[in-house]
Amino acid sequence: MSIKITNPGMQTTLQDAGRWGYQNVGMTVAGAMDLFALRCANILVGNDQNEACLEVLMMGPTIEFDEDETIAVTGGNLSPMLNGQPINNWESIEVKKSDKLSFKGKKSGLRCYIAFSKTIDVPVIMGSKSTFLRGNLGGFEGRKLAKGDELKLGSKAQAKAGKKIDEKYIPTYKKEDTIRFVFGPQDDAFTDEAKETIQKNPYAITAESDRMGYRLDGEKITHKDSADIISDGIVFGSIQVPSHGSPIVMMGDRQTTGGYTKIGTVITPDLSILAQMDPGCKVQFKAISVEEAQKIYEEYETAFEQIKNSLVEVAQPVDAQPSHAESEKASPVSAPKVNAPATNVKFGENSYTTSFNGTTYNITVKQVF
């Protein structure tokens, strides 16, 4: 089985939880920008939570299926459609052979994730299927998807359609939001005023933001002395502050080491919020303690098991839209229409007329007591 990309969209890549264990040799982790959405998509189709999905940026692709499949779309609402009809995010959907998945346009968020129950069959490189674009490594030929690409899927479906994530777990994506962080590891390189500045003032995401890092514009953050340090490790969420004083939050395709001071680190759950914010959106940083961050992370991890165990059955509409293949079949014969009983009837006997396939019939119904 395979899927065919008939329109690649703006930037569609394969991403899983990342390529861990190789930063010591300079290999970038990569992986999904919004790990919460990725994991929920995989839960819906019965996969391992860290399995590879398609990560879609802003303008979605058009995908054609050559066999039946179960899919789920999570994350930003890019208006997904099946055969031209709207479908829901955060829900497992049945697709048929020749069906087409497409996207009408962005309503909220920035990135969505498409999971397939039969999983995407690409080489596993250093323990991951993730695409590292700058290194031309992993995913599908180390690049974003292009028109005409065909991705092979596995042979065994993991789950059936008709489930959705409980609404209480579905995030709301905002143009302005609070992002929590922990001070360090080089917060001692900044003035006390700088530590207040980063929390009291909103920062706008600039157009110079991508999978590597989010550049922010706002009040300058001042150093005690120099912005330069001996290069050390960079993690997902590191808040670098170069000498110009404008913070940069390091994201999925971050480099492994860096020589600028880092005033803090965004906590894991809030990275998914940040990943769904596009240029022009504003973030308000809020410092929390290490203990608070650990507690939030424990609750975050526990939530996935709760999500898995509380999937909601989807009510199937009576007038559900047919699949692309079914729509080409002959329409069924319409049911006969029966007129109301005549007004000049006598007790115990009623007359009706009915029309069926162009022929009119008279019917008399007698009641026997």
Side-chain angles (χ1 to χ4, degrees):
M1 178 181 177
S2 65
I3 57 173
K4 185 176 182 179
I5 309 299
T6 58
N7 184 333
M10 185 173 183
Q11 184 187 86
T12 304
T13 60
L14 274 72
Q15 301 293 344
D16 55 22
R19 190 166 282 107
W20 293 94
Y22 300 94
Q23 291 185 88
N24 63 319
V25 293
M27 176 53 65
T28 297
V29 174
M33 292 278 276
D34 182 347
L35 283 166
F36 180 82
L38 174 112
R39 293 174 69 174
C40 284
N42 279 316
I43 286 173
L44 282 166
V45 297
N47 290 338
D48 181 274
Q49 292 180 28
N50 297 323
E51 182 58 52
C53 296
L54 294 186
E55 180 181 272
V56 175
L57 177 65
M58 194 174 295
M59 296 173 60
T62 300
I63 300 171
E64 185 173 344
F65 296 82
D66 73 354
E67 293 290 346
D68 296 356
E69 172 63 297
T70 299
I71 65 169
V73 182
T74 61
N77 186 353
L78 307 187
S79 305
M81 300 187 297
L82 190 63
N83 304 321
Q85 299 299 318
I87 59 173
N88 295 324
N89 271 19
W90 307 94
E91 184 177 311
S92 57
I93 305 288
E94 183 181 19
V95 296
K96 299 291 187 180
K97 182 179 181 180
S98 299
D99 279 356
K100 292 183 179 179
L101 174 69
S102 60
F103 296 82
K104 188 174 181 180
K106 186 174 86 73
K107 287 185 178 179
S108 66
L110 182 62
R111 294 175 169 87
C112 78
Y113 293 81
I114 309 171
F116 306 88
S117 70
K118 295 180 182 177
T119 71
I120 304 171
D121 186 10
V122 294
V124 176
I125 300 175
M126 297 181 179
S128 173
K129 298 178 182 179
S130 283
T131 309
F132 175 36
L133 291 172
R134 293 174 184 267
N136 297 319
L137 178 79
F140 185 82
E141 299 179 358
R143 59 173 172 81
K144 65 181 182 180
L145 298 183
K147 183 178 180 180
D149 286 343
E150 292 192 25
L151 302 179
K152 292 182 179 180
L153 300 183
S155 59
K156 184 178 180 181
Q158 304 301 315
K160 294 183 178 180
K163 301 284 187 177
K164 65 180 181 179
I165 302 292
D166 192 312
E167 289 186 6
K168 68 182 179 182
Y169 296 109
I170 298 175
T172 300
Y173 303 122
K174 305 174 184 176
K175 293 294 183 181
E176 299 183 18
D177 217 330
T178 299
I179 301 298
R180 296 165 292 184
F181 75 101
V182 174
F183 276 118
Q186 286 96 35
D187 56 306
D188 57 346
F190 297 86
T191 64
D192 290 339
E193 182 183 5
K195 295 176 184 178
E196 293 182 5
T197 297
I198 193 173
Q199 297 184 77
K200 289 184 176 180
N201 300 278
Y203 287 84
I205 298 171
T206 72
E208 297 177 294
S209 299
D210 55 18
R211 279 186 50 85
M212 185 175 181
Y214 272 26
R215 292 180 178 270
L216 308 178
D217 183 43
E219 291 293 320
K220 303 302 180 184
I221 301 172
T222 56
H223 299 80
K224 287 181 179 179
D225 186 11
S226 172
D228 298 326
I229 59 171
I230 296 173
S231 291
D232 68 356
I234 299 288
V235 300
F236 197 175
S238 289
I239 308 173
Q240 274 192 339
V241 185
S243 57
H244 53 59
S246 296
I248 306 170
V249 182
M250 309 313 298
M251 302 297 281
D253 283 355
R254 64 200 176 275
Q255 69 272 30
T256 58
T257 62
Y260 294 129
T261 48
K262 298 176 287 295
I263 193 171
T265 306
V266 176
I267 66 173
T268 296
D270 288 10
L271 286 169
S272 289
I273 296 172
L274 188 59
Q276 294 293 351
M277 301 177 78
D278 51 0
C281 291
K282 294 183 178 181
V283 302
Q284 182 72 55
F285 287 109
K286 178 183 178 181
I288 61 175
S289 68
V290 172
E291 291 75 20
E292 287 177 297
Q294 290 173 337
K295 182 179 179 181
I296 292 169
Y297 183 71
E298 288 174 359
E299 293 171 349
Y300 169 79
E301 285 294 332
T302 301
F304 288 108
E305 193 63 28
Q306 296 171 348
I307 289 170
K308 185 177 180 180
N309 293 331
S310 62
L311 293 178
V312 180
E313 290 281 352
V314 178
Q316 297 299 319
V318 176
D319 58 345
Q321 292 292 331
S323 69
H324 181 72
E326 290 172 338
S327 64
E328 297 179 353
K329 296 179 181 179
S331 300
V333 177
S334 57
K337 296 180 180 179
V338 179
N339 295 333
T343 56
N344 58 342
V345 296
K346 49 187 177 179
F347 181 77
E349 181 176 305
N350 291 315
S351 297
Y352 300 84
T353 62
T354 181
S355 179
F356 183 63
N357 285 358
T359 303
T360 300
Y361 299 89
N362 295 316
I363 302 174
T364 299
V365 178
K366 293 185 177 181
Q367 294 173 320
V368 180
F369 299 94

